[in-house]
Amino acid sequence: HTRVLEVGFGLGLNCLLSADLASDCQASLDYHAIENDTSVLSLISGVHYREQLNHPELYDRLMRGLESLGAKTDVYSTAKRTLEVTLGENITLTLHLRDAIKDALPAGQFDAIYLDAFSPDSNPECWSPEFFSRLREQTAPGGALTTYSAKGSVRRALMAAGYSVTKLAGPPGKREMLHAGG
């Protein structure tokens, strides 16, 4: 059983790839994601992730779940602050529509934390030692945080929060990324 917390759900790619791998491995996955900019959710239907998944039904279930929020032109209703979607057998997504800085983080400890909070320059509060300390408290023993940002200031802030940080090769289009162990 794996518990994941993602800060910055965006277009849902990290969630879908994690759910796809969990399906491949027949593993259970409890995925929590926080998203403050609900307007981005309306863009998910325009990306074609379905064709890139081994289990395309995951995308279909995500889309049905998002439809239940009720689209109002380009902006999803924020009246419902939490969306729970069963993506697959033993795979759940809980999407928290809130501000990760101002609001409480989901309860519990997480094996993996994906920090995809836009960028350190655009919203520095999500990349501060204080915020990383909050995430550190949510990291399970042996758990880790990963982020696409490899900026020195991000690395130093993670270390100040008590993480042990290493640079890894980044995904396509990104030279490096950071891995922070608990």
Side-chain angles (χ1 to χ4, degrees), residues 76-128:
Y76 280 79
S77 167
T78 55
K80 185 172 183 182
R81 302 300 297 171
T82 302
L83 172 67
E84 294 182 12
V85 180
T86 299
L87 295 176
E89 188 174 335
N90 299 316
I91 300 173
T92 59
L93 162 65
T94 305
L95 180 56
H96 305 270
L97 302 175
R98 61 176 77 152
D99 186 327
I101 296 298
K102 296 177 184 170
D103 298 324
L105 296 172
Q109 292 198 311
F110 297 90
D111 304 298
I113 297 177
Y114 305 157
L115 182 60
D116 196 9
F118 202 61
S119 79
D121 294 332
S122 296
N123 60 343
E125 61 278 359
C126 285
W127 304 87
S128 69

Side-chain angles (χ1 to χ4, degrees), residues 48-178:
H48 302 284
Y49 294 147
R50 189 177 200 287
E51 298 85 22
Q52 299 173 15
L53 300 172
N54 293 330
H55 305 276
E57 68 277 6
L58 298 168
Y59 176 82
D60 299 335
R61 291 179 187 136
L62 173 62
M63 293 310 300
R64 281 194 299 274
L66 291 174
E67 288 169 10
S68 76
L69 284 175
K72 295 182 180 178
T73 63
D74 288 343
V75 182
Y76 280 79
S77 167
T78 55
K80 185 172 183 182
R81 302 300 297 171
T82 302
L83 172 67
E84 294 182 12
V85 180
T86 299
L87 295 176
E89 188 174 335
N90 299 316
I91 300 173
T92 59
L93 162 65
T94 305
L95 180 56
H96 305 270
L97 302 175
R98 61 176 77 152
D99 186 327
I101 296 298
K102 296 177 184 170
D103 298 324
L105 296 172
Q109 292 198 311
F110 297 90
D111 304 298
I113 297 177
Y114 305 157
L115 182 60
D116 196 9
F118 202 61
S119 79
D121 294 332
S122 296
N123 60 343
E125 61 278 359
C126 285
W127 304 87
S128 69
E130 296 78 22
F131 185 64
F132 288 149
S133 291
R134 288 180 60 208
L135 293 178
R136 178 72 181 87
E137 292 171 6
Q138 304 285 134
T139 307
L145 177 148
T146 60
T147 180
Y148 63 87
S149 179
K151 286 184 80 168
S153 60
V154 172
R155 182 181 54 77
R156 289 186 294 279
L158 284 164
M159 290 172 28
Y163 284 106
S164 139
V165 182
T166 55
K167 286 184 182 180
L168 301 174
K174 196 71 181 132
R175 192 180 63 180
E176 296 175 322
M177 60 185 273
L178 295 178

